[in-house]
Amino acid sequence: AVVASVAYTRSDEELKQVLADQTDLFREMGPGGPLHGSLFWKLQQILKHGRIYNADDFQRHMHWFAMGLTFREAFEKTGRVLTISATPVRSRGRRAVPMQLNYISTPHVDIASAVCASACVPGLIDPVELLEKDPIDGSLRPYHFPDADTGARIRLRDGSFESDVPLQALA
């Protein structure tokens, strides 16, 4: 999802520039990037917090990769289609159907938050809420699920938790 978000949010010319001059890419993926830290530091984080990375920090890094765009904005800019799979965290044994996040089903969702949700696996990053861009002022706010039966916030994790490849949803 991280690599796909770079290709999805950039025009052909912008993508050629990123690949030709990899300075920005190395800065974002380097020691201060989203997967930073020594093996010892990562072990400490797991023992102390139960996960390696803080979701807010990881998502902040994802904004460079996704250029701060929503699925609709990126589709209108590039004409490319990206679908990211994420699974709502449910309780009491109810199985959750993976969501397919794209410009059709979730047009105003911030791509960086979708990428972060797809990276949420136990021990790496805790489940997160999706963010959407306010159409009036462009600020980010928690995504409102249209079919949510309660006012509770829904947190998401990697889309492969309930099914490896959600073939029915993708069809």
Side-chain angles (χ1 to χ4, degrees):
V2 174
V3 173
S5 71
V6 172
Y8 180 60
T9 58
R10 288 164 174 77
S11 67
D12 290 344
E13 288 304 314
E14 290 171 324
L15 195 53
K16 286 177 187 175
Q17 185 177 0
V18 166
L19 296 175
D21 178 11
Q22 298 178 357
T23 306
D24 291 338
L25 184 61
F26 283 128
R27 181 191 69 240
E28 292 300 323
M29 289 303 294
L35 303 176
H36 63 277
S38 68
L39 184 58
F40 179 70
W41 178 84
K42 291 173 184 176
L43 182 59
Q44 284 180 316
Q45 294 300 305
I46 288 176
L47 294 174
K48 186 175 181 181
H49 302 288
R51 47 103 179 119
I52 297 174
Y53 299 109
N54 176 291
D56 293 334
D57 184 49
F58 189 84
Q59 188 167 324
R60 183 177 50 79
H61 286 287
M62 290 302 103
H63 278 279
W64 178 85
F65 292 92
M67 298 181 71
L69 298 175
T70 65
F71 282 98
R72 176 176 283 156
E73 291 169 339
F75 176 75
E76 289 172 353
K77 176 182 178 180
T78 67
R80 295 184 177 104
V81 177
L82 172 67
T83 298
I84 294 177
S85 179
T87 303
V89 176
R90 301 282 190 207
S91 60
R92 298 184 205 111
R94 295 186 344 197
R95 292 181 62 92
V97 176
M99 296 178 59
Q100 304 312 306
L101 310 169
N102 57 46
Y103 80 99
I104 297 169
S105 63
T106 53
H108 303 294
V109 166
D110 175 59
I111 296 168
S113 72
V115 170
C116 189
S118 76
C120 291
V121 295
L124 185 63
I125 303 172
D126 289 332
V128 298
E129 292 179 37
L130 288 179
L131 299 176
E132 68 180 340
K133 194 178 279 189
D134 186 300
I136 296 171
D137 65 8
S139 64
L140 293 177
R141 63 183 183 202
Y143 175 67
H144 178 287
F145 286 84
D147 61 341
D149 51 354
T150 67
R153 298 266 172 97
I154 299 174
R155 299 174 70 74
L156 294 116
R157 59 184 175 180
D158 178 42
S160 64
F161 273 91
E162 298 298 337
S163 64
D164 191 26
V165 178
L167 296 175
Q168 291 177 339
L170 288 172

